[in-house]
Amino acid sequence: MFETKIVPRVGETDITGHITHTVMPGWFESGRYEIFKLFVPDMDFKKFNLIMAHLEFDFLKEVVPNGDVTIRSRFGKIGRSSCEILQELWQHDQRCVTSRAVLVSFDYETRKSQPIPDEIREKLKPYTGKPSG
Amino acid sequence: MFETKIVPRVGETDITGHITHTVMPGWFESGRYEIFKLFVPDMDFKKFNLIMAHLEFDFLKEVVPNGDVTIRSRFGKIGRSSCEILQELWQHDQRCVTSRAVLVSFDYETRKSQPIPDEIREKLKPYTGKPSG
Amino acid sequence: MFETKIVPRVGETDITGHITHTVMPGWFESGRYEIFKLFVPDMDFKKFNLIMAHLEFDFLKEVVPNGDVTIRSRFGKIGRSSCEILQELWQHDQRCVTSRAVLVSFDYETRKSQPIPDEIREKLKPYTGKPSG
Amino acid sequence: MFETKIVPRVGETDITGHITHTVMPGWFESGRYEIFKLFVPDMDFKKFNLIMAHLEFDFLKEVVPNGDVTIRSRFGKIGRSSCEILQELWQHDQRCVTSRAVLVSFDYETRKSQPIPDEIREKLKPYTGKPSG
């Protein structure tokens, strides 16, 4: 499991006084930083060959502006050419948001999905399971 | 069905040259503007009593920076205290992103969900069905 | 002068109930859309050869979530290889934010600034002056 | 001087391959976190009595997606009811962006500016000067 700390900003609140859901994709993307590193170790964004096919959030509890946030990230199912990333947002010892993303390994030249190479697949295995499990 | 036009900004692209998925919640929120008006006609955001419980996106095709975007929005299932909003993002005559949101009618004072009033429920009916149907 | 309409989103408010200043660069970028078209008529963002060198905002009045916003945009000084863009944000008949941006015409291959071509310079002239003048 | 680390996200790049300037207000707001704490130690955002009156950026060098960013923040001039915050964005040992913000101490009830209390003024003094000085 990977853990990423996020410090909420004033500009990320909304009129309700809580954190607006519109910032969540950015926060959860920060949480996938170490995951992307497994695919592209030098983090050259131009080499990214993962396309987001699906993204979902369940909002269980409001995220408040006061109090650091931790994003926990793990892999779910790892398929031939796609993988599932399961993430949770924790604040004040409570799970506030869960997210599931499906990313597809993609060859930008042929414009087709491509298998996840075996050597990368091996690197992902230690990080599978439930984020909070 | 409601239609909302979005003109992509340079700052909404990412290194791949396409529109980053991180802006999608904001774009689809713009698409729900007329829907919110059915609940709160004067659009006083402080009266918003709809909480987002679930939000998901399927990314079918890359959204490119060149070319206006149309968000089409309709209601799906309307339950006792929650409703489903189905949205589609179209660009260059292609459906690029679909979204499903579940919003819950919420009483901020009692901190509990509350039934959608019948007079509002009636107003929603003409806008049910598939966004592109 | 160019005018661009912006409809504020819930997610663009902050805890004070007003629009957060953090969204302003995006809103004012939308306001420069027609200006960019003078430089790159087909709006192929990859051909953008304007680099932002300076950007400033004066916040005169709070922008509220209720009520459409208009961004008015004009050119200020047009130099040999740079130009100034003056913009104003109006809401409810009041000027709420002013902005000044300095953009430099840039050759990405030589990595140096380059003169604004005369034929483009001619196209900019009708759009100089104060945005609200 | 305060230092805040920022890890760039993919979604914060734009089509040029660099970080879009539209995220800068958010990044520099993160950099002012410890500064806000001097005014509101418990970081209850509702107690914020600082209004942004002016904000400017000079873009000296492109910010690239690869490589952590450090925001350095200090106070400039501290007036009777306003204060200047000087910030710098560093990446790969280079100063890439500088920023100057003017914040006004504001009484939301009377809707007027108010003097910065002496006990807070004392707390600010150790943090004056040039960010990189």
Side-chain angles (χ1 to χ4, degrees), chain B residues 51-115:
Chain B
I51 282 188
M52 187 166 287
H54 178 82
L55 179 63
E56 65 180 82
F57 301 100
D58 282 288
F59 303 99
L60 312 176
K61 224 186 124 46
E62 291 139 344
V63 182
V64 295
N66 263 13
D68 289 358
V69 158
T70 301
I71 308 282
R72 297 180 180 173
S73 308
R74 276 203 184 169
F75 287 94
K77 280 183 219 158
I78 301 176
R80 192 180 155 276
S81 60
S82 71
C83 61
E84 194 183 47
I85 296 176
L86 305 175
Q87 296 179 280
E88 296 179 353
L89 183 163
W90 287 73
Q91 188 186 42
H92 298 307
D93 295 320
Q94 291 188 293
R95 200 173 52 157
C96 301
V97 185
T98 60
S99 175
R100 190 174 74 90
V102 178
L103 290 119
V104 176
S105 176
F106 192 78
D107 183 329
Y108 273 100
E109 299 215 352
T110 63
R111 310 279 312 156
K112 288 184 180 168
S113 67
Q114 60 183 2

Side-chain angles (χ1 to χ4, degrees), chain D residues 23-106:
Chain D
V23 302
M24 292 299 158
W27 286 19
F28 282 85
E29 186 175 72
S30 283
R32 292 191 300 272
Y33 187 84
E34 296 297 328
I35 279 179
F36 284 148
K37 252 191 186 159
L38 298 173
F39 285 84
V40 186
D42 67 358
M43 284 306 274
D44 180 351
F45 289 6
K46 281 182 194 157
K47 292 184 199 156
F48 267 166
N49 44 14
L50 291 175
I51 281 189
M52 187 166 287
H54 179 82
L55 179 63
E56 65 179 82
F57 300 100
D58 283 289
F59 303 99
L60 313 175
K61 226 187 124 44
E62 291 141 343
V63 183
V64 296
N66 263 13
D68 289 359
V69 157
T70 302
I71 308 281
R72 296 181 181 173
S73 308
R74 275 202 185 170
F75 287 95
K77 280 182 218 158
I78 302 176
R80 191 180 155 276
S81 61
S82 71
C83 62
E84 195 183 47
I85 296 176
L86 304 175
Q87 296 179 279
E88 295 179 352
L89 183 163
W90 286 74
Q91 188 186 44
H92 298 308
D93 296 321
Q94 292 187 293
R95 200 174 53 158
C96 302
V97 185
T98 61
S99 175
R100 189 175 75 89
V102 178
L103 290 119
V104 175
S105 176
F106 192 79

